[in-house]
Amino acid sequence: MRTTVLRWTFIGLILIWSPAAYCDELIKIPADPANGFSWAYYLLIPSTITSPPVLMVEPNNTGTSDPDPAVHDQAAKAEIQIEAPWANILGTPWLIPTFPRPYDDRVAYTHALDRNTLLLKEQGLVRIDLQLIAMVRDAQARLAARAINVDSKFFMAGGSAAGSFISRFVMLHPDVVKAASIGAPGWGPIVPVASWSGKNLPYPEGIADLDQLVGSKFDGQSFSKVPLQVWVGDEDFTMDLYWRPSDSEMALVSAAFGGTSRLYERWPEYEAAYNSVSSLCQFIVFPTLSHSWPDFSYLRDFFQKNRSAQPVAVPKPALYTIYFPHVASFESWETEVALTNASPVAVRGQLKAYGPDGGTPLQIVSLTLEPLQRKEITVGSFFQNPQNIAYLSFVSDSGFLAGYTRFSQPGNRVSLKAGTGTKTGWFTKMEQDGWTGIAFVNVDTSASIVKLAAMDANGNQVSSATLTLAPGKKVVGMVTQLFTGDLSTARYFKYTSDKPLLGFTVSGSSDGQMLDGLHCLPNYIFP
C-alpha cells in the first residue's frame, strides 16, 4: 500500500511570508474552462523583474489527498506566499496551480502526474498537464498586458511529488519548458529512453508507450534543448517511509536501475540513461541532505545561467572530497594512490597536494575518471616536489568513488583506504613487539580539539592525551610521544574530536621486517 509524501514548498519551510512585504502582487486567477483550465491558479508578480523575464511554474503539492478542492487551493496559496522571497531573488513571476488531489494515490496521484492521472476522464481532471500549459498561456497574456513580456517557454521547479510532476511533464512537453529543477522525484525521475538494462520502461518509468498513452511520441529534439537539474540528498530516507509504489513498480525500478530503497543509490544509473541520449542534464547528490531543499544558491545559479536564449549544460558542483591521508615520497620511500569510479558516469575533480600544515595546496591537478575507470598515480613522478607532500585530497562531483594510498620502501609497504574524516574512531591494535604511531589530519576549516585514550584489553583507560590541530594540519607521533602515562598494558586506542579527522596507525616490528597500517574504525557497522 502506498502512502503520501510530505508536502514540500520551494524552501522547505512551513512559514508564511506576506507578499506585501516585498511590494509584490498576488493574484488569484479563477478557473476558465473555455480557455482550457478547470481550476484556479495563483500568480505572484514580484516588485523587481529580471531581464529577460521568464515565468516560474511550481506544481502544487498539498501532501495529502482530500476531496475538498478548497484544501488544495489554500495549500497552493500558502506555497506561493512562501516563495515570495525567491521570486524576488530570481526576479521572476511565479505561478502555482490549484489542482485537486481527490483520490488516494492508488487511484490517481494527480500532484505527481502519475499514469492514472493521464487516464482520468472525470470532468475537470482530464489531462491536467495540458491544463497547466493553458494556465501558463493565460498568465503570459496577463503579464504582457502589464508590459512584462516573459519568454514563451517557462522555468519549472519543485520537489518530492512536485518533482515527479515536473520530471514527467518535461518528458511529455519538452517544447514549452525553458529549464527545470527537479528535486527528489518519488522513486526516481522518468528517463528519456524506452528501455534500460534490458527492461522495457513504460510511463512513468520511461517513454516506451507515450504514443499509446497520450497520442504523441517523445520529442527528443526538443528535449535535448531543455537544461535539467535533477537532485536528491544522500540522507533522504523519506521514500522508504512515505512513497510506496506497487510491488511491480518497485521490482521494475530495481531491475532497471539497481540500488536498494535509497533513491541516491540509483542516481548514477539515471544519469547514464540521460547521457545515452542528447540531453542537458545536471544530476546532483547533495551530501548530508535529507528530504528538503538544498542551499538555494544552486538553484539560483542554474536558472540564472539558463535565462538567456541559448540553453547551457551546467556542470555538476564539486561537493565531495576524499582524502589520501599519508604520502611518503623521498629517499627510498614512494607512494602510489588509486581512485576507482564506482559509477557508470564520468567523475570530474581536482587532485590536490598538501604539506603537513595544510593551507594553500602545493599543487592542483584536474582529473577525470571515465565510467568505472581506475587510475593509479605514482606521487614521485606525477607531482612536482613530491618530497614536500604530506597528504592528498580529491575534490569531485561524485561520491561514488573508492580509493587507497600505499607507501612503501624495499621490503615494506603499507596500504590505507582513502577516507572523508570522522569525529570518532578506534585504533584497534598497539604493536607489542615493536612500535606503533598514530597520525591525524584535520580536514575541517577550523581548529580541532582531539581527545585520545589508551585502553587495556578489558576496556580500562590507562592513559589519555589532548591534541590541538590547526585547519589542514597533519600530526604524526609515536604513541610513546603522544601519551605521558604508562602504556605497558595498553592494547588499543580511541579518539573523539569536535571536527572531522582522518586518523590511522602505522606499526612496525622490532626486527624491522614488518610494517603495516590500519585506518581508524567506526564504533558501529552500518547495514
Side-chain angles (χ1 to χ4, degrees):
M1 177 178 178
R2 292 187 286 180
T3 55
T4 58
V5 181
L6 297 179
R7 182 173 71 88
W8 268 17
T9 60
F10 196 68
I11 56 176
L13 300 174
I14 305 303
L15 175 67
I16 302 302
W17 293 71
S18 170
Y22 293 86
C23 299
D24 302 332
E25 184 175 0
L26 179 59
I27 310 168
K28 181 179 180 180
I29 311 301
D32 189 350
N35 277 325
F37 52 99
S38 299
W39 305 94
Y41 70 88
Y42 286 94
L43 180 64
L44 177 68
I45 305 175
S47 56
T48 301
I49 304 293
T50 301
S51 183
V54 183
L55 176 67
M56 174 69 77
V57 175
E58 179 186 356
N60 62 312
N61 176 17
T62 308
T64 186
S65 58
D66 195 300
D68 184 0
V71 170
H72 307 290
D73 187 300
Q74 289 304 306
K77 181 179 181 180
E79 286 184 30
I80 202 164
Q81 288 177 316
I82 291 173
E83 318 311 11
W86 307 117
N88 277 271
I89 290 173
L90 284 173
T92 180
W94 210 282
L95 184 156
I96 293 183
T98 66
F99 291 135
R101 185 182 165 191
Y103 308 114
D104 182 280
D105 55 325
R106 291 169 297 180
V107 177
Y109 197 165
T110 53
H111 291 176
L113 197 61
D114 69 353
R115 186 181 187 86
N116 289 346
T117 297
L118 292 179
L119 297 173
L120 288 173
K121 300 301 182 184
E122 287 86 340
Q123 184 176 2
L125 292 176
V126 176
R127 295 298 300 273
I128 62 173
D129 56 316
L130 297 178
Q131 292 191 47
L132 182 59
I133 295 175
M135 291 176 181
V136 168
R137 298 307 178 215
D138 183 79
Q140 289 170 333
R142 293 174 184 273
L143 291 168
R146 296 166 175 251
I148 304 173
N149 297 304
V150 296
D151 195 298
S152 61
K153 296 184 178 182
F154 49 90
F155 290 151
M156 299 190 79
S160 197
S164 292
F165 188 109
I166 296 170
S167 176
R168 296 160 183 176
F169 183 92
V170 170
M171 216 63 66
L172 292 167
H173 308 287
D175 57 316
V176 300
V177 181
K178 190 172 184 66
S181 180
I182 300 165
W187 261 63
I190 185 173
V191 293
V193 293
S195 63
W196 193 253
S197 299
K199 302 298 179 181
N200 186 61
L201 299 176
Y203 183 95
E205 280 71 45
I207 60 170
D209 64 344
L210 276 191
D211 51 346
Q212 297 98 325
L213 185 64
V214 298
S216 59
K217 293 184 177 181
F218 172 61
D219 183 356
Q221 183 175 2
S222 294
F223 174 80
S224 68
K225 300 175 183 177
V226 183
L228 297 174
Q229 181 185 68
V230 194
W231 56 267
V232 71
D234 65 6
E235 293 184 2
D236 186 349
F237 306 137
T238 303
M239 295 304 98
D240 289 349
L241 301 175
Y242 298 102
W243 192 299
R244 304 303 300 175
S246 67
D247 290 344
S248 60
E249 287 176 298
M250 292 171 62
L252 177 59
V253 168
S254 296
F257 304 104
T260 63
S261 57
R262 303 293 189 250
L263 180 54
Y264 80 91
E265 293 179 350
R266 296 192 290 277
W267 230 236
E269 284 292 334
Y270 289 132
E271 184 176 358
Y274 275 68
N275 288 344
S276 71
V277 300
S278 181
S279 67
L280 300 175
C281 63
Q282 180 200 60
F283 275 73
I284 311 173
V285 177
F286 286 103
T288 70
L289 183 71
S290 60
H291 198 61
S292 59
W293 286 89
D295 188 311
F296 183 70
S297 63
Y298 295 105
L299 285 72
R300 179 196 63 209
D301 292 346
F302 171 77
F303 285 117
Q304 296 292 43
K305 289 177 181 177
N306 283 292
R307 187 179 289 276
S308 64
Q310 183 63 41
V312 297
V314 180
K316 290 188 289 184
L319 301 175
Y320 282 83
T321 303
I322 191 169
Y323 292 88
F324 301 92
H326 188 69
V327 170
S329 184
F330 55 88
E331 298 176 353
S332 62
W333 289 96
E334 188 52 277
T335 298
E336 72 178 38
V337 297
L339 276 167
T340 301
N341 180 0
S343 76
V345 295
V347 173
R348 295 173 177 82
Q350 292 182 321
L351 192 60
K352 301 182 179 183
Y354 293 90
D357 293 323
T360 302
L362 303 175
Q363 189 176 347
I364 301 176
V365 181
S366 295
L367 199 64
T368 297
L369 281 79
E370 298 302 329
L372 303 177
Q373 184 183 23
R374 176 184 182 272
K375 282 193 175 182
E376 184 177 299
I377 293 169
T378 301
V379 171
S381 58
F382 189 80
F383 289 98
Q384 303 168 3
N385 303 314
Q387 69 278 3
N388 298 328
I389 299 174
Y391 64 95
L392 304 170
S393 72
F394 183 59
V395 183
S396 73
D397 60 9
S398 174
F400 295 91
L401 289 170
Y404 70 85
T405 179
R406 184 170 71 174
F407 51 99
S408 63
Q409 64 177 352
N412 285 310
R413 65 179 60 179
V414 174
S415 296
L416 297 168
K417 69 174 183 178
T420 58
T422 60
K423 292 184 178 180
T424 61
W426 299 73
F427 304 112
T428 56
K429 178 178 174 59
M430 176 178 174
E431 184 60 45
Q432 298 303 297
D433 181 23
W435 55 267
T436 294
I438 291 179
F440 289 110
V441 179
N442 180 4
V443 300
D444 198 77
T445 56
S446 302
S448 173
I449 305 298
V450 188
K451 295 182 178 181
L452 270 167
M455 315 295 291
D456 68 16
N458 295 314
N460 301 307
Q461 182 173 307
V462 299
S463 187
S464 64
T466 300
L467 306 175
T468 299
L469 276 71
K473 178 74 173 179
K474 179 177 179 180
V475 172
V476 180
M478 295 293 186
V479 293
T480 53
Q481 297 171 320
L482 298 174
F483 294 90
T484 57
D486 179 14
L487 296 180
S488 60
T489 61
R491 294 298 180 268
Y492 68 94
F493 309 92
K494 63 180 181 179
Y495 81 86
T496 59
S497 170
D498 60 341
K499 302 294 187 302
L501 302 174
L502 291 170
F504 63 93
T505 61
V506 176
S507 298
S509 61
S510 59
D511 60 9
Q513 298 301 304
M514 183 276 293
L515 189 70
D516 66 9
L518 292 171
H519 212 84
C520 71
L521 301 175
N523 60 354
Y524 179 73
I525 304 299
F526 288 89

